[in-house]
Amino acid sequence: MRVLVLGGGYAGLALTRRLEDRLPPDVELLLVDDTGEHLVLHELHRAIRRPSIVEAISIPLADVTYRADVRTGTVAEIDADERVVTLADGEQLEYDIGAVCLGAETADYGIPGVEEHGTPLKTVADAETIREEFLDVLERSGDRVVIGGAGLSGIQVAGELAALAREQLGDTDDGPELCLLEQKTSVAPGFDAEFQDAIENALRESGVDIRTESVVAGASEDAVELAAGERIECDQFVWTGGITGRTALDGERPVVRKTLRLADRTFVLGDAARVVDAEGRRVPASAQAAVREAAVVAESMVRLVEHDRRAAELFVPRPEPFRFDSPGWVVSVGDDAVAQIGPAVLTGRAAVAAKATTGASYLGSVGAVGRAVDLVYEELGPPPSE
Ligand SMILES: Cc1cc2nc3c(=O)[nH]c(=O)nc-3n(C[C@H](O)[C@H](O)[C@H](O)COP(=O)(O)OP(=O)(O)OC[C@H]3O[C@@H](n4cnc5c(N)ncnc54)[C@H](O)[C@@H]3O)c2cc1C
């Protein structure tokens, strides 16, 4: 019997690690990922200012799994009903029970010029490009950098660029204007108003110019155009305006409900899906949701394996229903941070510590303890020498 996990991000790695502990030894567990590495995406914006952090947030999947076979390969097609996956090199992988955890791509929504001129932030190479282009803007004394989209990534990119400008130029007003565009009425759409307000304050304090209700309608070499007709000239354009499905899922993020099932024996979780939980709530595409979904899907997959092994049993187990309960959220804004823990919103040192420990405890939870320590040093600086 083969259990197949596609994608080794938050959802795929958390799922694989749980299955490693729970599946009987004679069940094959195969994890396929296009990079062979687990990237701690929710810290990737840090790499714009501190490229050395990449060592802490990029982990070979083979180092954090102990029993799964890890295959580096690109999934090109998924037939969830027939339970066959086709890789880009033509190889076909059949499976008995599978999970699609391929994450998402940056959406350009077909807006003219966005794909060509807007740099997304999804890979280490993207972070390098944003850094190089920004350093070039600083060197040329460019006037303006536009960041399109003020979700979790856009907010944190804006914060990093503001901090990088300060590090490079000192506390002068000579840096480029950083213009963060958001089509909704506030930054961090979908989050609580107090959290949104605290993030806006932190961004404004670091010098970011926030423009809400600004819908991007086009982009060119040197400008971003708004639907309202305004043309915003800029020297660099970073696009963090939303996500869409992977090509292997025909560019779709299928809607799945509490059982997270794409088909009878195929699950889909993390950013790859639009998840509606058992209470009917839309679950935000986020690292913490992906990890929580993995715990529930692991249980459902184990039940199916156990059922298959008791071949005489007719009753097919029900998948575990998913309910999303978030302990809170934390975002960095350069060296500052904003955290929401329950109803309380924290800023300053408490929030910075929450951010550092969230990343580190995540790395610890996937078995990358050494990297967790490195991340804390990157975030908070090394401990004082004795
Ligand atoms: C800059 C930034 C900051 C963020 N900040 C936060 C935050 O503060 N809090 C939070 O909760 N979330 C945050 N997020 C969102 C969070 O990172 C995502 O929601 C999370 O990564 C989703 O996990 P996933 O496992 O679904 O997908 P991913 O983590 O993207 O993993 C998908 C995996 O599948 C692999 N893959 C993709 N396509 C293929 C293919 N065709 N074949 C094989 N393998 C493939 C990828 O290489 C990757 O390993 C942030 C995201 C960004 C970009």
Side-chain angles (χ1 to χ4, degrees):
M1 179 188 285
R2 175 185 280 162
V3 171
L4 180 62
V5 178
L6 304 175
Y10 294 84
L13 179 59
L15 177 61
T16 301
R17 285 177 59 88
R18 281 177 182 267
L19 293 173
E20 284 188 316
D21 291 343
R22 301 275 310 275
L23 290 181
D26 58 326
V27 173
E28 182 191 352
L29 175 58
L30 179 59
L31 169 61
V32 179
D33 187 272
D34 58 351
T35 64
E37 303 229 321
H38 175 68
L39 181 62
V40 182
L41 205 54
H42 83 270
E43 297 284 355
L44 184 59
H45 54 280
R46 294 296 206 194
I48 296 170
R49 188 160 47 118
R50 302 198 194 112
S52 59
I53 208 168
V54 170
E55 307 234 329
I57 63 169
S58 199
I59 312 157
L61 285 163
D63 289 359
V64 281
T65 48
Y66 66 90
R67 117 137 180 65
D69 290 326
V70 177
R71 176 89 64 92
T72 302
T74 300
V75 176
E77 256 181 71
I78 302 165
D79 187 332
D81 295 314
E82 294 298 321
R83 284 182 269 138
V84 184
V85 164
T86 308
L87 301 184
D89 63 8
E91 187 186 357
Q92 293 205 315
L93 299 170
E94 293 181 3
Y95 61 91
D96 297 281
I97 303 166
V100 182
C101 311
L102 295 175
E105 284 173 22
T106 302
D108 61 36
Y109 306 107
I111 305 169
V114 166
E115 190 186 351
E116 298 89 316
H117 302 290
T119 312
L121 180 59
K122 276 284 179 194
T123 62
V124 171
D126 293 336
E128 284 166 2
T129 303
I130 294 170
R131 175 183 169 83
E132 277 160 25
E133 287 182 359
F134 189 68
L135 290 177
D136 187 49
V137 172
L138 295 184
E139 208 175 298
R140 292 188 281 118
S141 302
D143 293 324
R144 186 181 291 116
V145 172
V146 170
I147 302 112
L152 295 174
S153 31
I155 290 163
Q156 298 184 102
V157 169
E160 285 308 303
L161 293 179
L164 181 55
R166 267 196 309 281
E167 282 178 11
Q168 295 289 317
L169 305 174
D171 266 333
T172 70
D173 290 332
D174 294 344
E177 179 190 321
L178 292 176
C179 177
L180 177 60
L181 301 178
E182 170 53 52
Q183 64 172 346
K184 298 276 172 57
T185 53
S186 166
V187 300
F191 289 89
D192 287 358
E194 293 77 16
F195 189 49
Q196 294 172 335
D197 290 347
I199 293 170
E200 270 196 35
N201 285 341
L203 284 166
R204 289 219 161 89
E205 265 168 36
S206 38
V208 176
D209 178 27
I210 301 166
R211 298 182 53 172
T212 52
E213 299 181 81
S214 298
V215 180
V216 173
S220 58
E221 180 87 43
D222 54 5
V224 170
E225 276 134 42
L226 300 186
E230 190 184 346
R231 179 183 149 87
I232 304 177
E233 292 193 358
C234 62
D235 301 276
Q236 182 181 4
F237 177 37
V238 181
W239 176 247
T240 51
I243 55 173
T244 190
R246 296 282 185 198
T247 315
L249 284 169
D250 299 328
E252 297 290 324
R253 295 175 62 226
V255 176
V256 283
R257 303 196 182 267
K258 60 186 178 186
T259 59
L260 305 169
R261 264 199 307 200
L262 187 61
D264 222 18
R265 286 163 169 265
T266 307
F267 297 82
V268 60
L269 55 154
D271 283 8
R274 283 178 289 160
V275 176
V276 178
D277 82 353
E279 313 297 333
R281 293 171 301 207
R282 282 187 54 193
V283 177
S286 59
Q288 59 163 296
V291 169
R292 283 169 172 72
E293 287 157 16
V296 169
V297 169
E299 183 60 40
S300 302
M301 292 174 93
V302 168
R303 284 185 199 171
L304 277 174
V305 170
E306 284 167 355
H307 168 266
D308 287 358
R309 289 159 72 87
R310 291 192 295 266
E313 201 175 280
L314 287 176
F315 169 72
V316 180
R318 282 189 185 190
E320 184 76 4
F322 175 66
R323 277 186 186 77
F324 182 57
D325 254 330
S326 166
W329 299 91
V330 52
V331 291
S332 66
V333 180
D335 289 327
D336 201 354
V338 180
Q340 175 167 31
I341 298 165
V345 173
L346 308 175
T347 53
R349 287 173 66 87
V352 170
K355 178 73 182 165
T357 47
T358 304
S361 65
Y362 171 71
L363 282 168
S365 77
V366 295
V369 177
R371 284 179 161 84
V373 175
D374 293 345
L375 184 66
V376 171
Y377 289 173
E378 288 283 354
E379 293 266 353
L380 301 176
S385 49
E386 288 167 28

